[in-house]
Amino acid sequence: MGRMNVSMMRYLEGDHFRVLIAVEMGMKNHEVVPLALVSSIAGIHRGGVARTLNDLCKHQLVAFERSKKFDGYRLTIRGYDYLALRALCSREVVGSVGNQIGIGKESDVYVGGDPELNDLCLKFHRLGRTSFRKIKEKRDYHKKRKSASWLYLSRLAAAKEFAFLKALQERGFPVPKAVDVCRHLVVMQLVVGQTLCNVNEVEDSAALYDRLMALIVKLARHGVIHGDFNEFNLIMLEDERIVMIDFPQMVSIDHPNAEFYFDRDVTCVRTFFKRRFNYESEEWPKFDEIERKGNMDVMLEASGFTKKMALDLNKAYDDGNFLAHCEQELRNEDGEKEGGEEDSDSESESEMEAIREEEEEKDEEEVQAQVKAEKRQKIVLSQSTRFNDWLSDATNLLEDVDLSALKSEEGYDDSDLPDKLNHPQGVTVKESDSEEDEEDEEEVEHVAIEEQVPKAVKKKRAPGSVASSAATFTAEEIKRKLALDRKRNKEKIRLKVKGKQSAVSRNRKDNKNVISEYAGWI
Ligand SMILES: Nc1ncnc2c1ncn2[C@@H]1O[C@H](COP(=O)(O)OP(=O)(O)OP(=O)(O)O)[C@@H](O)[C@H]1O
């Protein structure tokens, strides 16, 4: 017995479950659900759904099937398990899934844990697990059915078990405590003990026999018969107390075959005790002697487990007819909705709604986070704009500089210069021919601006000094400056190369001179 692989659940997103629920809902009246239908139920565009379905196929939560009429997707058992687990997780009932502790004919039982890691028992109903494999062979018949029987019947079995567990517990019967149910999964208390079939010795077999018979009678007095009361469905605790599990065939005492079921339960216990403990009693309870004192069967019906559901389930268990409910549906072709289907639909729809709301909340949170980030960015930007402010202030001040005063004070007359040369912001020089000159001019312009800004700022503080600190250069001045620079560069004494390198270059020089001296002689 292995472990259920639920690790994938961590990586599945809201959309995955939305699509999974859509497939589940579609399977109510489709053998395989076409992409378009999944898309319209999930409310997600086809491209998105196709991608999500691809993921789900990869993890075997849905399977793609080709049929004669159309292709589509069907929910796998694993997908159904995931849906149930996810719903119970979000209800904070289940927090973990552990090892498998039991494989029944119609169920898989696992140890689980709640969010606080207290032990739980998780029972996944798989009604018709074996029988439905054969259904594919009987396609003609299967074609007419309206819903996926294994989904419907497994859910019914779980609903029934949960309802009975609760009712029995309330009436003081020794059963595991019912915790919750979702789809085909029943969550109950984990009983730590051994099934009676594994017990070889008991302290007092007679006392145990009496207690078991008393249990059968007590059930009957409350209006029900277990129907499968045997050593496989009884767990013995350390102190030899008995706990009943598994009541799939529990029927009302008013059932037409009630006596048969009652006698079968009694005989099972008698046979087991004779075989295992070599104990045979002269006394055993008789169906006619039962005095009905309670009406658990009636109350159960009122609790939502309808007669129709009980009938469908009993037909599946008793006659092995797992499609009995479909026959019924086909007969009522004009089609009233059945209770169980409605329940499950509303459950799935509400889950879908919850997922949608969750996603909307997430979106809202994302938007809020984005707004916050934008605000933060603005603050950072506003800090860096201090420099820009300073620059624009400086530029404004420059524009205020009174150039006419400067000209008159220094005796400039630039009336014959083009307008652009008078721009207060920088220095422009007349167009030059050579590239070299252009580079030089750019450099000069750059230097001029750098020098100009702080001077201009100072000027604002002392308006009277405008003329004396003017930073504009005329073209003539720049020309002169450049010529001076070039002259200085030429006059610069070249650095002497020393050492080996110097000797090499000296030799070369000498050779050159010799060659030029004897040119024409050789
Ligand atoms: N509450 C529980 N606590 C501990 N173990 C449990 C519990 N419920 C079931 N089990 C274990 O799981 C096994 C199968 O459970 P159960 O009998 O309910 O399944 P089933 O499919 O109805 O089996 P079958 O129909 O073959 O009797 C049991 O034999 C028991 O060992």
Side-chain angles (χ1 to χ4, degrees):
M1 281 184 274
R3 227 182 152 88
M4 181 181 277
N5 183 7
V6 286
S7 55
M8 263 323 296
M9 271 188 98
R10 266 181 241 145
Y11 307 108
L12 296 181
E13 290 166 4
D15 268 6
H16 288 108
F17 284 103
R18 209 156 134 183
V19 170
L20 212 53
I21 293 175
V23 176
E24 182 198 20
M25 287 165 83
M27 278 183 74
K28 187 180 165 286
N29 41 24
H30 288 79
E31 194 184 323
V32 290
V33 193
L35 179 67
L37 186 60
V38 181
S39 159
S40 75
I41 297 176
I44 305 173
H45 61 89
R46 273 199 210 186
V49 169
R51 239 190 339 267
T52 312
L53 280 168
N54 244 4
D55 282 352
L56 296 175
C57 276
K58 228 185 285 167
H59 304 304
Q60 293 160 6
L61 302 175
V62 295
F64 180 71
E65 272 194 15
R66 289 177 190 283
S67 68
K68 270 179 198 165
K69 280 189 186 160
F70 53 83
D71 304 339
Y73 297 84
R74 67 169 173 79
L75 195 66
T76 60
I77 289 177
R78 191 176 152 139
Y80 204 39
D81 290 353
Y82 268 44
L83 278 180
L85 280 173
R86 154 128 182 165
L88 287 167
C89 279
S90 57
R91 283 186 219 162
E92 296 189 353
V93 173
V94 178
S96 54
V97 185
N99 285 334
Q100 189 165 11
I101 51 167
I103 305 180
K105 287 189 296 293
E106 317 288 3
S107 71
D108 285 332
V109 185
Y110 290 86
V111 181
D114 63 10
E116 277 95 47
L117 295 180
N118 299 313
D119 283 341
L120 287 174
C121 174
L122 309 179
K123 184 167 174 179
F124 293 87
H125 282 266
R126 315 244 188 258
L127 193 56
R129 166 163 44 194
T130 42
S131 328
F132 279 102
R133 282 195 197 129
K134 288 178 190 159
I135 283 177
K136 274 196 174 181
E137 295 157 22
K138 309 176 196 163
R139 280 278 164 165
D140 279 350
Y141 179 73
H142 188 56
K143 239 187 328 196
K144 284 182 189 167
R145 81 190 165 83
K146 282 186 169 180
S147 56
S149 299
W150 68 270
L151 290 182
Y152 174 59
L153 288 177
S154 300
R155 200 169 57 230
L156 279 194
K160 182 178 179 180
E161 174 150 39
F162 186 74
F164 275 87
L165 270 176
K166 277 196 105 175
L168 289 168
Q169 189 191 321
E170 279 162 17
R171 285 161 184 78
F173 283 94
V175 290
K177 192 173 163 237
V179 180
D180 206 342
V181 64
C182 178
R183 295 183 170 86
H184 62 319
L185 172 56
V186 180
V187 184
M188 59 179 129
Q189 177 200 352
L190 181 78
V191 182
V192 183
Q194 272 189 313
T195 39
L196 206 55
C197 62
N198 294 318
V199 176
N200 295 318
E201 233 177 281
V202 286
E203 256 180 38
D204 188 349
S205 47
L208 184 62
Y209 173 87
D210 288 345
R211 269 190 283 140
L212 293 182
M213 289 305 181
L215 211 50
I216 295 176
V217 173
K218 191 179 171 187
L219 282 170
R221 280 189 182 155
H222 277 86
V224 288
I225 294 162
H226 190 291
D228 203 11
F229 199 89
N230 58 40
E231 63 274 24
F232 301 101
N233 292 328
L234 296 167
I235 295 181
M236 184 182 253
L237 306 183
E238 239 180 280
D239 55 6
E240 292 202 355
R241 274 185 301 141
I242 292 288
V243 177
M244 283 192 298
I245 55 165
D246 195 24
F247 340 92
Q249 278 146 298
M250 207 171 236
V251 288
S252 162
I253 202 160
D254 297 330
H255 191 275
N257 298 331
E259 190 169 356
F260 166 78
Y261 288 126
F262 183 87
D263 288 343
R264 194 171 70 181
D265 285 354
V266 171
T267 315
C268 269
V269 176
R270 280 169 59 78
T271 319
F272 175 71
F273 270 74
K274 194 177 169 194
R275 199 177 62 236
R276 181 67 51 93
F277 308 120
N278 201 19
Y279 175 82
E280 223 173 331
S281 171
E282 296 289 302
E283 287 176 23
W284 64 89
K286 319 276 177 328
F287 185 72
D288 316 326
E289 293 165 7
I290 302 295
E291 231 179 279
R292 187 182 171 118
K293 285 185 178 165
N295 52 356
M296 203 165 89
D297 47 344
V298 181
M299 286 177 79
L300 275 167
E301 215 171 278
S303 76
F305 195 76
T306 59
K307 248 189 191 150
K308 154 93 173 83
M309 289 158 98
L311 210 71
D312 288 345
L313 210 52
N314 287 342
K315 276 199 176 143
Y317 281 126
D318 299 344
D319 316 337
N321 182 3
F322 294 93
L323 296 171
H325 64 287
C326 306
E327 291 162 20
Q328 186 67 32
E329 273 174 39
L330 286 170
R331 251 175 264 136
N332 308 336
E333 199 74 314
D334 37 327
E336 277 172 42
K337 266 201 167 184
E338 300 304 337
E341 298 277 326
E342 244 175 21
D343 282 354
S344 108
D345 258 18
S346 61
E347 194 181 37
S348 310
E349 267 162 24
S350 66
E351 272 174 29
M352 183 92 92
E353 199 54 46
I355 290 172
R356 261 183 222 147
E357 274 169 20
E358 220 173 80
E359 273 172 10
E360 272 164 22
E361 267 172 33
K362 254 190 216 165
D363 287 350
E364 237 170 68
E365 275 170 21
E366 267 172 29
V367 168
Q368 277 173 1
Q370 217 174 329
V371 169
K372 268 186 192 171
E374 273 170 16
K375 270 185 189 170
R376 236 177 286 133
Q377 212 174 354
K378 267 184 192 169
I379 291 168
V380 173
L381 276 174
S382 73
Q383 281 165 359
S384 75
T385 51
R386 277 174 61 198
F387 172 74
N388 295 339
D389 291 347
W390 174 82
L391 197 63
S392 70
D393 279 354
T395 318
N396 290 339
L397 285 171
L398 271 176
E399 276 167 6
D400 292 345
V401 172
D402 187 0
L403 271 178
S404 58
L406 171 77
K407 285 173 199 167
S408 61
E409 265 184 44
E410 296 203 348
Y412 274 79
D413 183 15
D414 53 5
S415 54
D416 49 356
L417 286 176
D419 275 349
K420 58 180 180 176
L421 291 178
N422 288 327
H423 197 279
Q425 278 226 354
V427 176
T428 49
V429 291
K430 66 171 185 181
E431 290 152 30
S432 63
D433 302 328
S434 67
E435 265 181 39
E436 195 187 321
D437 277 355
E438 260 177 37
E439 271 175 33
D440 288 337
E441 281 161 22
E442 268 173 32
E443 222 177 278
V444 171
E445 190 176 335
H446 186 67
V447 171
I449 290 170
E450 275 183 358
E451 283 174 2
Q452 201 177 6
V453 172
K455 277 180 189 168
V457 175
K458 270 185 207 163
K459 218 180 293 161
K460 179 85 180 181
R461 286 184 203 129
S465 62
V466 170
S468 60
S469 62
T472 49
F473 294 91
T474 59
E476 293 300 319
E477 257 192 322
I478 289 163
K479 263 184 164 180
R480 223 183 306 133
K481 202 173 176 334
L482 287 174
L484 199 67
D485 281 352
R486 251 178 259 137
K487 198 179 159 196
R488 272 186 201 149
N489 284 343
K490 270 182 194 168
E491 282 171 1
K492 260 186 195 168
I493 305 156
R494 296 194 70 186
L495 282 174
K496 280 183 183 165
V497 188
K498 289 181 180 173
K500 200 179 168 188
Q501 187 60 42
S502 162
V504 171
S505 51
R506 206 171 41 243
N507 278 345
R508 274 187 197 154
K509 211 175 173 182
D510 291 347
N511 287 342
K512 219 174 159 184
N513 289 341
V514 171
I515 291 165
S516 60
E517 202 176 315
Y518 292 95
W521 286 85
I522 305 164

